Amino acid sequence: MVLKIVRRLIPNWGTTYGPSGDGPFPAVMIFHGSEGAYSGWSHRNAVLLAAHGFLAFPFAYSRGGNAWNAGNIEDVPLDRSVEALAAFRAFAATGRKLAFYGVSRGAEHALLLTSLMARDGLEGLPDAVAAHSPPDVVCGAFDARRHRDAGDPGWQSWDAAGRAWSWRGSSEDLLPTQPIEIERYGGPIFLSHGTADRVWSVEMTRRLSARLEKHGRNPEVHYYDGQDHIPGSAAENEHHERLVSFLERHLSA
């Protein structure tokens, strides 16, 4: 038999999932959320996109971690993400067009990285960006080892002073609560959010959309009525239909 989805290693960076055959294939770089690189969710999303003809690269950017601890988002150098993007673009199976896709903190990563690359005039910007449950501002650091439900003996409050990201050796331009200036990017943008999100308010996406439109952008925006931070089965199916459609339209050769 011939496998319909195969793994291909990008040396020194990680694995991809994509259709069998030589390619090249339209490509998607996936950014995980605060669940961390070792949780497996970004790999699951990569396999889903691979089943629809994309070469998907779940990029592991969280720091530390192992099979029992997924890693944290603290002092993450976004310059390394640019290097990973360059390696993915140079990969033999990667097609001419490439998108970013992130959920939650991964959505923040995708939007923030795109805005910084656009601001600084870097080459290799993604051809499209998709973000589900995104914030509209830079958020603080997250250490999964300290995260517990309230009442658990290990519970600690969120430290808003912690820095999640750095750029060119500094985090001074990436302080928590600073707006993510995605309006600097002129390419196609997909935003989606559940209206009953209990982690990050849907108002964050509403503000992102309004700011993009104010700057003459035309984002594709979807709201999932009554859905939480992670949609239920039916809503997630709807989300994936819309996401795949967006990627197919904007990554076709």
Side-chain angles (χ1 to χ4, degrees):
M1 64 169 290
V2 177
L3 291 175
K4 295 181 180 180
I5 298 172
V6 297
R7 291 180 60 181
R8 300 174 178 87
L9 180 68
I10 304 178
N12 302 317
W13 289 106
T15 192
T16 68
Y17 300 85
S20 59
D22 295 331
F25 307 100
V28 184
M29 188 170 178
I30 298 176
F31 299 98
H32 61 76
S34 56
E35 75 277 4
Y38 286 89
S39 69
W41 279 97
S42 58
H43 289 255
R44 173 258 202 186
N45 291 338
V47 169
L48 188 146
L49 291 177
H52 291 85
F54 300 97
L55 180 71
F57 171 35
F59 174 50
Y61 67 86
S62 59
R63 306 193 67 174
N66 51 45
W68 298 271
N69 169 34
N72 60 70
I73 301 174
E74 187 170 9
D75 297 323
V76 172
L78 291 170
D79 311 78
R80 182 172 178 270
S81 302
V82 175
E83 294 173 7
L85 170 62
F88 189 28
R89 282 199 179 277
F91 193 52
T94 301
R96 188 170 61 86
K97 291 193 174 184
L98 179 153
F100 286 167
Y101 174 50
V103 176
S104 192
R105 293 307 297 259
E108 178 189 1
H109 191 148
L111 296 174
L112 185 57
L113 179 60
T114 302
S115 68
L116 291 170
M117 291 180 68
R119 184 195 70 182
D120 292 357
L122 298 188
E123 296 182 355
L125 274 167
D127 299 284
V129 178
H132 177 68
S133 297
D136 63 328
V137 296
V138 177
C139 297
F142 179 83
D143 188 338
R145 295 170 297 184
R146 295 196 297 264
H147 183 70
R148 301 287 189 276
D149 292 333
D152 185 287
W155 184 85
Q156 296 182 32
S157 61
W158 181 285
D159 183 2
R163 309 288 176 84
W165 318 103
S166 70
W167 179 249
R168 296 183 169 177
S170 174
S171 60
E172 291 306 307
D173 290 340
L174 302 174
L175 301 179
T177 75
Q178 287 185 311
I180 298 173
E181 299 177 332
I182 190 57
E183 64 271 14
R184 293 179 178 275
Y185 173 67
I189 297 174
F190 175 104
L191 302 173
S192 58
H193 216 124
T195 62
D197 193 327
R198 292 176 291 177
V199 178
W200 281 340
S201 170
V202 66
E203 294 306 316
M204 288 184 158
T205 287
R206 297 193 197 282
R207 290 194 294 266
L208 277 172
S209 177
R211 195 164 77 245
L212 283 163
E213 291 173 359
K214 180 180 178 180
H215 285 82
R217 307 292 186 259
N218 185 32
E220 179 177 332
V221 186
H222 300 284
Y223 298 106
Y224 305 125
D225 190 42
Q227 296 300 308
D228 205 343
H229 196 61
I230 299 175
S233 295
E236 188 179 54
N237 290 337
E238 178 185 355
H239 168 69
H240 285 144
E241 287 178 358
R242 290 173 171 177
L243 174 65
V244 168
S245 175
F246 170 83
L247 294 172
E248 287 178 341
R249 279 183 278 117
H250 294 292
L251 300 185
S252 59

